[in-house]
Amino acid sequence: MASGRRTGSGAMSPFEFLCAGERLEALPSGALYWPARRLLAVADLHLEKGSSYAVNALKLLPRHDTRQTLSTLATLIEALNPERVICLGDSFHDREAVERLPKQERAEIESLTKRVRFVWIAGNHDPGPPPQGWGTVAEEIADAPLVFRHEARFGLPDGEISGHFHPVAALTVRGRGIRRRCFLTDGRRVILPAFGTYAGGLNALDPAIAQLFADDYDALID
């Protein structure tokens, strides 16, 4: 597996690459932008993970992860003005997450979904359909030559865009080991990093990920 770093500067500087012949932009925030379709994709928001830990695991984490994740998403929407936002599954951390949303965060989601057409891909963590008016739900979305789904499938599907694995790359910088979230691609498929503030990560070389790629693949790292 090779790795690459974006050469631009600033929070919005994209890492441009090709998948199935389409020019895509990997953004430092962990979002993917498809300029030809004005489409913004984000994976694994895991909204309300902080409150889930407080309720179910009795672990006290700052309960501001949803607010921070939505703030980052709102900034991207303001800057890019996409026509569609596709959330690639596991947008909510558990089935009761929507009910735990504070009023401010709920209002932010309602504001964003009124401004842009949202599509919520069903993931393994997600509850049932989101509240009315928040957008549509789908198992996957095909927009040739790309297809958007939660989890990558075995085989060689040109143009597959997915999330689920939360890939991270292990790096050594000035003698110190660090982990950074990354995009993975071989030019035929892309696996997005987790967009959520509290989402963890799986090493990009883990067999669960490596087996999905027939040959070498690149890690695109901020």
Side-chain angles (χ1 to χ4, degrees):
M1 182 186 70
S3 64
R5 301 177 70 92
R6 59 178 48 83
T7 57
S9 60
M12 291 298 296
S13 176
F15 197 135
E16 296 185 358
F17 65 100
L18 295 177
C19 179
E22 291 294 313
R23 183 176 67 86
L24 304 177
E25 298 179 358
L27 302 176
S29 60
L32 183 75
Y33 187 57
W34 187 7
R37 297 290 196 276
R38 290 180 58 195
L39 185 154
L40 182 67
V42 290
D44 301 280
L45 277 65
H46 284 271
L47 300 177
E48 289 303 299
K49 182 174 181 177
S51 64
S52 174
Y53 270 50
V55 172
N56 300 314
L58 301 180
K59 293 182 179 180
L60 297 179
L61 296 175
R63 296 175 64 169
H64 305 305
D65 55 307
T66 296
R67 184 176 304 175
Q68 184 172 339
T69 298
L70 292 176
S71 175
T72 303
L73 181 57
T75 298
L76 288 175
I77 291 173
E78 178 67 28
L80 297 171
N81 191 29
E83 290 186 349
R84 278 184 294 170
V85 174
I86 296 183
C87 300
L88 296 173
D90 288 358
S91 300
F92 300 92
H93 188 66
D94 57 54
R95 296 187 180 280
E96 289 76 39
V98 172
E99 284 70 30
R100 294 198 308 274
L101 281 169
K103 290 183 179 180
Q104 180 177 339
E105 283 74 0
R106 180 180 288 269
E108 179 68 11
I109 294 175
E110 291 173 352
S111 174
L112 293 176
T113 53
K114 287 178 181 177
R115 175 172 179 174
V116 184
R117 182 156 57 99
F118 268 67
V119 179
W120 305 88
I121 301 295
N124 51 293
H125 279 259
D126 291 312
Q132 187 174 5
W134 285 15
T136 59
V137 178
E139 289 295 322
E140 62 181 48
I141 292 291
D143 191 344
L146 304 184
V147 59
F148 298 82
R149 58 172 58 105
H150 177 57
E151 184 175 356
R153 295 180 183 174
F154 289 101
L156 298 174
D158 283 2
E160 182 188 70
I161 312 295
S162 64
H164 180 66
F165 289 101
H166 305 197
V168 296
L171 305 171
T172 301
V173 178
R174 297 178 182 176
R176 296 181 58 187
I178 62 172
R179 284 161 54 91
R180 300 291 293 271
R181 62 185 176 183
C182 61
F183 296 79
L184 301 179
T185 184
D186 60 356
R188 307 187 71 170
R189 72 182 347 148
V190 185
I191 299 178
L192 271 64
F195 192 80
T197 300
Y198 280 173
L202 180 66
N203 191 293
L205 294 174
D206 189 280
I209 292 175
Q211 66 183 342
L212 296 168
F213 294 93
D215 297 304
D216 289 340
Y217 54 101
D218 295 326
L220 309 181
I221 306 165
D222 181 23

